[in-house]
Amino acid sequence: MTRIARWATAAAAVVASLGAFAAPASAVGPDQYGGYDTEVFTAGCGSAAGSATGHKPGDRLAIDADNAAAYYRCNPSTGGAAAQQERVTCAPGAYFDWTRGLCGPARTVPEMGTKLTAGRAEPVRKAPLEVKLHHLNATLVRDRDNGPQDAIWNATITFKDGAGKVLCVARTDSAGRASCDAKPSLAVAEALLGGYTAEYAGNGSVNGAFNTVAPATARGGVL
């Protein structure tokens, strides 16, 4: 094998290993455009501090899980403080393209798959035959075949009973987890047998025509 061939083989191995790596909470690896290195995060700007890609620091952005036409620019702070986030809105007709780190025509932006899992709520008795559900919880992550299933931050999760009545609403934290206590009471049998539903509506436009972060639903139980 010639020296050039050995070098090409080694380079290909390095590229392959880098392609298999994904920094925690990063939706997409660095993308070159306009002379800048761009990273897009799903777990908010706070996750940008832990990124290590081997590229020089460039634009670090975070998706807006509730608005496809907006994103956050992560501005690093001095003195070791956490990154500060600046919300940016795309021009009319454009959505944030999380695969490239820029705004593009709405119809051309791909949809990020998501997965929602719901845990078990705790019933707290309020009357002989009524309970309130505490600690309803669900976790939203990016769903993909390979690599880490990155947490999705600041997504609105709606918790409902078996009949579709809203119990409470919460936003996900940087670990993708949302939790809240139900406001209305439920019949004991209804709560224990019916459980609850957690719903993420996606981040589409007002009429829900285009989601760049896909909606998801999960069923939760009761202890």
Side-chain angles (χ1 to χ4, degrees):
M1 182 182 291
T2 66
R3 179 180 300 178
I4 294 177
R6 286 196 300 269
W7 179 88
T9 301
V14 171
V15 170
S17 64
L18 290 175
F21 172 77
S26 179
V28 63
D31 184 24
Q32 291 280 350
Y33 76 94
Y36 296 94
D37 291 323
T38 302
E39 290 176 290
V40 178
F41 297 88
T42 62
C45 287
S47 62
S51 173
T53 62
H55 290 253
K56 293 181 180 179
D59 285 351
R60 292 184 173 184
L61 313 175
I63 65 169
D64 187 327
D66 278 349
N67 190 336
Y71 64 95
Y72 293 92
R73 177 173 286 116
C74 305
N75 299 317
S77 299
T78 58
Q84 300 298 307
Q85 57 195 32
E86 172 193 0
R87 192 169 185 272
V88 181
T89 302
C90 298
Y95 277 5
F96 178 62
D97 189 335
W98 54 274
T99 66
R100 298 189 295 155
L102 47 78
C103 293
R107 294 181 181 274
T108 67
V109 180
E111 185 178 75
M112 179 191 298
T114 61
K115 181 171 68 175
L116 187 66
T117 55
R120 289 189 173 273
E122 176 187 349
V124 177
R125 189 177 294 276
K126 293 297 180 181
L129 297 178
E130 288 188 352
V131 297
K132 278 192 174 183
L133 298 182
H134 285 198
H135 308 304
L136 295 98
N137 64 92
T139 301
L140 183 67
V141 298
R142 179 188 175 199
D143 188 19
R144 55 181 176 180
D145 294 333
N146 299 306
Q149 294 178 331
D150 310 315
I152 297 179
W153 166 78
N154 208 34
T156 299
I157 308 298
T158 303
F159 297 91
K160 299 180 179 179
D161 65 12
K165 180 171 62 178
V166 175
L167 298 174
C168 60
V169 178
R171 287 183 178 270
T172 56
D173 59 19
S174 59
R177 189 175 188 273
S179 179
C180 57
D181 296 338
K183 296 179 180 179
S185 297
L186 299 174
V188 173
E190 177 187 1
L192 295 178
L193 298 177
Y196 67 93
T197 300
E199 298 180 357
Y200 169 61
N203 71 338
S205 58
V206 175
N207 62 7
F210 303 104
N211 284 303
T212 61
V213 182
T217 303
R219 291 284 296 170
V222 178
L223 294 177

